[in-house]
Amino acid sequence: MNKQQIEKRIKELTAEIERHNQLYYAEANPQISDFEYDMLVRELQDLQKMLPASPAPEFLEKVGNDLKQSAKTIAHKVRMVSLDNAYSLEELLAWWDKLSLDLNSRIELCLEPKIDGFGINLFFKEGKLQYATTRGDSIVGEDVTTNFLTLPDIPRRIPYLGEIEIRGEIYLPIPEFLAMNEARRERNEKPFANPRNAAAGSIKLKDVEQVKQRPLRAFFYTIGYYSIPLPFTHQDELLKWLAACGFPVSDQYATCKEHKCLIDFCNQMEQARNDLAYDIDGVVVKVNELALHKKLGFTAKSPKWAIAYKFKPEEKETRLKQVEFQVGRTGAITPVAIMEPVYISGTTVSRSTLHNFDEIKRLDLHEFDTIRLIKSGEIIPKILSVNLEKRLPEAKPIALPQNCPVCNSPLSREEEAAIEYCTAADCPAQLARSIEHFCSREALDIMGLGSSIVSRFLDAGIITSIADIYRIDFTQVAAMDRMGEKSAQKLKESIEASKAKNFDRVLFALGIRFVGSVTARNLAQHFQTMDRLQKASLEELSEVPEVGTKIAESIIKYFANPKNQDLIRDLKNLGLNMSYRTEQESDALAGMTFLITGSLENFNRKELESMIMEHGGKILSGVSKSLDYLIVGEKPGSKLAKAEKLGSVKIISEADLLAMLEQNQ
Ligand code: IVH
């Protein structure tokens, strides 16, 4: 790589890492695993070393930040730093050997499981618990005392009469976490990605009554500040003392003086990981003698007397039950592996997408194969490979269908995306998915027409097309099993209300390939009416922001189909909105394009977007050369870096936007 390429990559990595910091710390909604995150940071550190003259991004020196703007904060008396990581046993042993060499003797270590939870700091004064804080930005933490006191078995008094910070990790036990997610699913709430996110989200809840419903637990393992001498000299004694004071302490710790002992402990913990009732993501290795901690000290980010040995992303084996071939709205066939349920990186998994037929060939998947599963990004399950030793002798390869599994029409393959499509125009599965999409929240938001009701209605002949939604015979619906008058009435109201939705929603609901909700809005705003949109040429369509040839061609193809023309005519006659209600207040922002990043102070994002549109502005879906203004709120994402890189985008605040509007009033 030359200097320019390195600089480019550093910029990309910086933006990417900042985006993940935001997702992890502020939104408790990570999208990649810690391992993948650490690899990005490592790559950045390595590149940074190649260009020592350029300043390192701040976060390389600092630990992350979980602080919310409005939270009450308290300064830690000693910084709450994080640990350096070792990703292999070799790296870990090398770290230990170097320490021993520097200190001229074989250093004894204390080994503990690395609890995958959320750091917590307790402050005691004259033996009494004063407050509990999160790690925050490592210097100040968020005061979560009230919520923390809902945890059972936490001593409020300890036999130490000075001031002391006692630190540990809050976590959710796996069985309780699974039950909690189950209950959330039943209530139609979004389940948490893993126990750590659930713990982080729970301790920061505003309502303590809600926190009481979350079975949080904690383990304690270290001390920050202390004002008078401590009654122990080693880390293992510290753990025993904490336990004697009444703190929950993991019993999985050991001390060691030889390589073999360290290797064995790490391997055992990696095995035990599957049987523990809490998630661990590594082993924390600490110098056992506390006096040496003082001597060794800290780097900018972490202590020199401890290191975290990180496990590889969790991998589990399970048995394939069958492969389902699902037909999507566009006719795309997606194979899905149905497996024996298995707990992995935070949730129980029983389905995993295989994406396309080529993936089945790559895996050479056979019936009832034992498969190795990981969660990529700790979120989406992925089948890595097949354990051939466990393949049943009589097992046949998974057969790839030649025809649509629902309507039996021949399949055709789209080479570019390596996807097979059902070629039938009247495939019932495509129809069912199209109706589900039409009713979805972002489209016409018809409540009560989810996938199971849609399939019942199709089976019973209550509907046979999208337009039939508006011709439903509700007496027939009310008479159906598990339906009744009340649900029928609610459904009727919801369908009626959908007629008032704006034209851009109708357009999105049609499910034209490549036309997402943002494009639909831009099209509706630009052409104003369905008539004009239907007549638009490729060139005219390409004038709309973010509509390229691929999208324009897809739109033309959609409107050229007589069946779609009939559907649109029907929907129009049934009373749906076919022209855009601008509710335009002014054209102060006419011809200008906008995008929002970060959280806003006075509006939610949708409100501000509507306001921009009401004044003639357009909203784009990403940073590009056609973007005029990026509105930056609190904790912006990677869009800001991208816009800065482009140089042509004007970066403004919410207040700047309001000022632009006022000037034009
Ligand atoms: S000791 C000065 N021990 O891992 C460092 N940390 O990446 C003191 N963690 O911030 C930390 N289990 O939140 C320590 N047995 C353990 C731990 C542990 C989990 C967390 C902790 C820390 C992070 C470091």
Side-chain angles (χ1 to χ4, degrees):
M1 273 210 259
N2 63 28
K3 185 161 176 262
Q4 242 178 357
Q5 286 166 324
I6 297 176
E7 278 173 346
K8 182 167 173 266
R9 183 70 189 139
I10 287 181
K11 268 199 169 165
E12 280 167 12
L13 283 166
T14 308
E16 185 68 4
I17 293 168
E18 273 175 347
R19 186 168 78 84
H20 290 300
N21 281 346
Q22 161 83 5
L23 285 164
Y24 183 105
Y25 290 106
E27 296 171 24
N29 178 27
Q31 281 171 9
I32 56 170
S33 65
D34 287 1
F35 182 76
E36 287 163 301
Y37 176 86
D38 292 345
M39 290 302 133
L40 292 176
V41 172
R42 276 214 164 176
E43 190 187 342
L44 179 58
Q45 283 168 332
D46 291 345
L47 292 176
Q48 205 75 49
K49 277 184 209 144
M50 292 159 81
L51 292 182
S54 66
E58 221 185 329
F59 58 74
L60 281 186
E61 309 294 335
K62 265 183 20 190
V63 294
N65 179 343
D66 67 47
L67 296 174
K68 281 237 169 72
Q69 201 65 19
S70 56
K72 180 185 165 208
T73 53
I74 302 177
H76 302 309
K77 294 194 177 292
V78 162
R79 276 187 70 182
M80 250 179 122
V81 292
S82 70
L83 295 172
D84 250 352
N85 295 321
Y87 292 100
S88 67
L89 288 170
E90 292 74 43
E91 224 180 298
L92 183 60
L93 294 175
W95 171 82
W96 188 13
D97 288 349
K98 180 159 186 308
L99 266 189
S100 300
L101 199 71
D102 288 352
L103 294 171
N104 264 328
S105 75
R106 172 72 24 209
I107 300 297
E108 186 184 44
L109 300 175
C110 180
L111 315 175
E112 302 162 28
K114 187 169 185 315
I115 317 297
D116 195 8
F118 189 72
I120 191 86
N121 172 62
L122 306 183
F123 179 64
F124 286 81
K125 191 175 174 181
E126 291 161 11
K128 279 188 272 177
L129 177 62
Q130 306 293 316
Y131 56 77
T133 45
T134 67
R135 182 164 76 167
D137 65 359
S138 87
I139 296 166
V140 298
E142 192 171 327
D143 181 355
V144 290
T145 314
T146 317
N147 286 351
F148 178 77
L149 289 176
T150 63
L151 271 73
D153 310 327
I154 305 292
R156 313 280 169 101
R157 283 176 178 276
I158 56 167
Y160 176 90
L161 298 176
E163 291 185 346
I164 188 167
E165 288 178 322
I166 293 179
R167 293 173 174 175
E169 201 86 353
I170 293 185
Y171 68 94
L172 257 173
I174 295 167
E176 277 84 352
F177 162 76
L178 291 175
M180 191 172 107
N181 255 1
E182 199 48 50
R184 286 177 77 83
R185 244 176 247 117
E186 269 166 27
R187 290 194 302 266
N188 254 337
E189 291 168 9
K190 193 172 164 222
F192 288 107
N194 54 45
R196 182 189 56 205
N197 287 343
S202 301
I203 199 67
K204 293 185 164 195
L205 282 168
K206 291 232 161 59
D207 177 5
V208 66
E209 290 309 312
Q210 259 183 303
V211 187
K212 286 184 189 158
Q213 313 298 317
R214 308 272 173 97
L216 294 168
R217 295 285 180 280
F219 278 132
F220 290 85
Y221 44 67
T222 199
I223 283 171
Y225 173 77
Y226 58 95
S227 63
I228 55 174
L230 297 164
F232 45 78
T233 55
H234 288 72
Q235 172 67 18
D236 61 334
E237 293 168 0
L238 180 156
L239 294 174
K240 283 182 205 133
W241 181 76
L242 286 176
C245 289
F247 291 101
V249 172
S250 164
D251 56 6
Q252 304 282 323
Y253 66 90
T255 56
C256 84
K257 283 188 168 154
E258 290 147 23
H259 276 189
K260 182 174 179 318
C261 157
L262 175 57
I263 295 169
D264 287 350
F265 185 89
C266 289
N267 289 336
Q268 274 162 25
M269 283 317 289
E270 197 151 5
Q271 283 295 312
R273 174 185 202 191
N274 298 330
D275 307 320
L276 295 173
Y278 44 91
D279 270 342
I280 62 172
D281 60 344
V283 172
V284 179
V285 178
K286 299 174 187 169
V287 169
N288 200 26
E289 192 184 331
L290 299 176
L292 291 178
H293 292 195
K294 276 227 160 82
K295 192 163 173 188
L296 286 162
F298 290 80
T299 66
K301 202 181 158 193
S302 44
K304 292 186 188 161
W305 43 266
I307 195 164
Y309 167 65
K310 289 286 216 78
F311 298 146
K312 298 265 161 341
E314 202 175 359
E315 197 180 304
K316 284 275 177 77
E317 278 197 356
T318 186
R319 176 64 68 92
L320 176 71
K321 291 212 277 196
Q322 66 175 113
V323 175
E324 258 179 30
F325 290 88
Q326 296 180 346
V327 188
R329 175 162 57 87
T330 56
I333 314 283
T334 308
V336 178
I338 313 295
M339 308 163 293
E340 297 287 352
V342 58
Y343 179 83
I344 174 165
S345 309
T347 54
T348 302
V349 170
S350 57
R351 304 166 71 82
S352 171
T353 177
L354 289 157
H355 306 289
N356 53 32
F357 290 15
D358 291 359
E359 180 69 357
I360 298 181
K361 290 186 207 147
R362 178 187 77 81
L363 293 164
D364 185 28
L365 205 57
H366 281 49
E367 297 170 330
F368 312 114
D369 264 349
T370 299
I371 51 192
R372 296 195 192 92
L373 196 70
I374 57 156
K375 266 206 192 157
S376 91
E378 269 171 19
I379 294 168
I380 299 153
K382 177 178 168 62
I383 298 178
L384 273 187
S385 58
V386 170
N387 182 343
L388 291 176
E389 283 169 20
K390 296 194 182 164
R391 176 167 286 167
L392 303 177
E394 69 280 14
K396 294 198 198 75
I398 295 295
L400 300 178
Q402 303 294 317
N403 295 74
C404 172
V406 176
C407 73
N408 212 29
S409 308
L411 301 184
S412 83
R413 182 176 164 95
E414 196 171 274
E415 278 308 328
E416 201 188 327
I419 288 176
E420 333 283 323
Y421 284 89
C422 164
T423 50
D426 54 357
C427 172
Q430 288 184 47
L431 176 62
R433 298 295 92 72
S434 304
I435 295 176
E436 284 161 29
H437 170 77
F438 190 88
C439 301
S440 63
R441 194 182 301 177
E442 262 195 290
L444 289 179
D445 195 18
I446 301 180
M447 293 211 298
L449 267 185
S451 65
S452 64
I453 297 286
V454 167
S455 86
R456 284 178 68 196
F457 281 13
L458 284 169
D459 289 346
I462 291 179
I463 49 177
T464 58
S465 68
I466 289 180
D468 276 357
I469 296 172
Y470 296 93
R471 305 184 187 111
I472 289 178
D473 173 357
F474 287 98
T475 41
Q476 203 185 342
V477 171
M480 284 175 82
D481 257 7
R482 290 171 279 135
M483 258 317 241
E485 288 282 348
K486 227 173 157 184
S487 319
Q489 183 57 31
K490 269 197 168 160
L491 180 60
K492 189 175 174 181
E493 283 165 16
S494 187
I495 291 174
E496 225 22 67
S498 74
K499 292 183 184 168
K501 298 269 187 261
N502 210 345
F503 171 47
D504 59 322
R505 299 258 217 149
V506 179
L507 192 55
F508 171 64
L510 294 176
I512 304 171
R513 228 171 147 198
F514 310 127
V515 177
S517 56
V518 173
T519 306
R521 204 161 53 190
N522 287 339
L523 286 165
Q525 215 179 14
H526 187 92
F527 291 101
Q528 298 284 316
T529 69
M530 181 62 100
D531 274 350
R532 285 173 55 195
L533 173 62
Q534 274 180 292
K535 286 184 200 131
S537 66
L538 196 79
E539 291 70 37
E540 285 166 334
L541 286 166
S542 307
E543 281 168 21
V544 178
E546 298 186 325
V547 174
T549 319
K550 190 171 88 170
I551 303 181
E553 279 172 357
S554 165
I555 297 169
I556 289 190
K557 189 171 163 200
Y558 181 90
F559 288 127
N561 183 334
K563 274 184 75 168
N564 295 333
Q565 293 168 4
D566 289 348
L567 169 65
I568 291 165
R569 192 172 320 113
D570 272 1
L571 292 177
K572 191 174 185 179
N573 292 337
L574 288 161
L576 274 85
N577 249 316
M578 294 293 163
S579 53
Y580 192 59
R581 277 184 282 114
T582 40
E583 285 151 17
Q584 186 119 348
E585 291 198 8
S586 81
D587 53 9
L589 307 179
M592 304 177 198
T593 57
F594 294 83
L595 183 66
I596 303 172
T597 180
S599 41
L600 303 165
E601 210 179 313
N602 300 309
F603 302 91
N604 71 36
R605 189 170 298 205
K606 281 254 171 310
E607 283 168 350
L608 200 65
E609 284 180 358
S610 306
M611 197 158 116
I612 291 169
M613 291 192 299
E614 281 156 18
H615 292 275
K618 290 200 167 92
I619 308 293
L620 300 191
S621 62
V623 177
S624 69
K625 285 207 188 97
S626 26
L627 181 64
D628 298 322
Y629 292 94
L630 180 70
I631 303 170
V632 179
E634 206 55 59
K635 304 221 177 82
S638 62
K639 287 180 190 139
L640 177 56
K642 237 183 174 170
E644 282 172 343
K645 204 159 127 189
L646 266 179
S648 59
V649 180
K650 294 181 208 69
I651 293 162
I652 61 170
S653 69
E654 189 181 332
D656 294 335
L657 177 80
L658 298 180
M660 277 165 79
L661 290 175
E662 255 167 41
Q663 267 173 20
N664 279 282
Q665 296 257 304

